[in-house]
Amino acid sequence: MNRHHAPRTPAAGRRTGRRLRGPAVRSALGALAAVVVVTPFLGAWSYDSARRAVSAQAAAPLVEPEALPGKLVATRASAPIVLAYHDINPEPTNDYTLTPQQLDTQLAKLEAAGYRSLTTKEFTRYLTTGTTPAPHTVYLTFDDGTRGLWTHADQVLAKHKMHAASFLITGAVGTHRPYYLSWDEIGLMKASGRWDFQDHTHLSHERAAIDAAGHQGSVLANRLWLAKEKRLETESEYRTRVRTDLDKSLRAFADHHLPAPQLFAYPFSETAGVTNLAARNTSALEQLLRERFTASLTNVSSRPLPAGPRAAAARQVQRMEVMRKTSTSTFVKQLNEWVSRSPAEIPEPLRNPEQWRFPGSPSGTGLAALTGKGVANGTYVSAVHLPMGTADWSTYRVSTTVAGLSGTKTSASVEVGHGSLVPVTVTFSEAGVRVTERPAGGTERVTTGKLTPAAEHRLNLEVSPGGVRITVDGGHALVARATKEADPARTSGGVSLAVRNETGKAAWPRFTALHITP
């Protein structure tokens, strides 16, 4: 309405018992005009605000056939692989954001290879029963609850008929728009049947000072430095703060009619980060999480914990994190490392150099370092065979031959139960053998024996949950890790090898054969 034609309101003057004159009339008319002019804009703003609570969705992109390099390993069956994503945006601004094209390409690759995505209910059922609805499955997880899941990822999931779980920072929902999801968008995602929602704290996905020097750490995994009191939180104060945060998050799920979350994703993967809590295995944080959730998820772990019996027993599952820099070929390569294999599927690991990992070794170290080349700088090199794919091996046999042993300054080692809570390492030199048992939280046990001096020795290991039977050169057998309470979840794990050369000479011990059988 044009303010110059605003209607007069003499009744307003009569209600006050005064008559409006001169400046008073002009003031009243000005105020009325302001209301008339602003009202349509207020209405439009209110409508726009409500509209923005649900953002428009983008159509899923097309995937070109040539965008699908690499071939996924074909096994008879595999444990689920848990994939960790963050945001999806056509213009990624950080290393954690993928483009819709990248996500579409990766899901197309999984779909073409026959992978089925799991709901959270199906995944948690797997942790307790070991069964899945298909031989090859993935559990797709997205941390933080960003708006890109609704605007870009949702239609990609629809295209490939897949399901995913969004791990919400519940206190951030609806804030910092357009970065985080709104509750309205979450409601629509839930109604689609393509999404379920799990926990990522209420407002504890941040860092703060954890000591007097101001060093930063996760507020969820650390006692905070109280600057005014000039002290750390007590463990009781820490427990109260974290308990309050987790319970607020659970209440937010209930208040917005979402099923109670069964899984919790650690912010910043605290399981491997800085912490000033008590002993990690019995920390207050783990206790609080176990009281509320079936299991927790992390991207970094102190030992391999892919989905399986070992992870289920630990109530902590490791995820394969997918980053912006993860090319399709890298994605396929990493998936192949995570696919669980049986001992029968890889009988001769030395024939597959791509299956070995060299943690702590110089960049570029390869399998040749174990088969005679050694390393140019250093006296020791070790390698692990498919640590993710073999994490749940519990019953198998290892036969190996090592040559090039000389004196006491060269040796070779074979570890079985790698990453378990009770690994066993057999180390042999030219004239001796040493068996080392390292139970988690227990006392290391070492057994030694003499061998007939020789440059070459043959080792046989029979591994089961109840113990490891060790035979060198077909002689008297030793038994390690003998237990009456056989627990595959405690003892399971694959094989790692190592060679040592302290002679200063180029001749290294070398593994000449390695056979694995069920």
Side-chain angles (χ1 to χ4, degrees), residues 116 212 409 416 458:
R116 180 193 186 281
K409 292 189 175 182
V416 291
R458 292 174 291 108

Side-chain angles (χ1 to χ4, degrees), residues 8-39:
R8 296 177 181 273
T9 54
R14 287 196 292 271
R15 283 196 298 270
T16 62
R18 294 180 290 107
R19 185 176 181 182
L20 300 175
R21 300 175 181 272
V25 172
R26 288 193 295 274
S27 176
L29 290 175
L32 177 61
V35 171
V36 171
V37 170
V38 169
T39 297

